[in-house]
Amino acid sequence: MAELKVRDLSEQDLAGIESSAKRAHLSREAYLRELIHHDATDHLLSGDVSDLRELTRQMAIIIEQNTKAYLDFVDAVRRLRLPNED
């Protein structure tokens, strides 16, 4: 595994990191490792998330169109019913 040394970190930033690590129930090192990992791999998922958003939008349109077609069909069937079937 590679090592990374960060110099000239402000006391405020370090306190913020310590606080965030504590809230996550992680050591400072584990917290920073997770933070770096997520940042380093985030770009790999951004295209997938975009694709999923577009697919979700398209599916919502299809569902809306199918619902309208179904309701139109139900209305047409109701209009065709014979009077003694009520």
Side-chain angles (χ1 to χ4, degrees):
M1 286 262 171
E3 280 191 36
L4 176 68
K5 184 174 185 174
V6 179
R7 293 188 174 104
D8 300 324
L9 192 63
S10 74
E11 292 297 322
Q12 278 184 313
D13 289 344
L14 184 59
I17 291 167
E18 293 278 356
S19 176
S20 295
K22 187 176 182 178
R23 279 194 306 275
H25 304 286
L26 295 170
S27 68
R28 178 175 58 191
E29 185 176 319
Y31 175 77
L32 288 172
R33 195 172 21 254
E34 280 192 16
L35 198 63
I36 290 167
H37 174 73
H38 288 294
D39 188 67
T41 58
D42 188 47
H43 69 281
L44 299 173
L45 298 176
S46 63
D48 292 340
V49 170
S50 249
D51 292 347
L52 286 174
R53 276 195 195 109
E54 179 58 23
L55 286 172
T56 302
R57 187 188 69 75
Q58 290 174 9
M59 291 304 297
I61 291 168
I62 291 168
I63 290 169
E64 188 177 308
Q65 291 170 343
N66 286 345
T67 301
K68 183 183 179 325
Y70 171 76
L71 293 175
D72 290 346
F73 173 76
V74 169
D75 285 343
V77 169
R78 285 183 182 149
R79 284 190 299 259
L80 292 174
R81 285 176 43 185
L82 297 175
N84 63 357
E85 291 184 66
D86 288 330

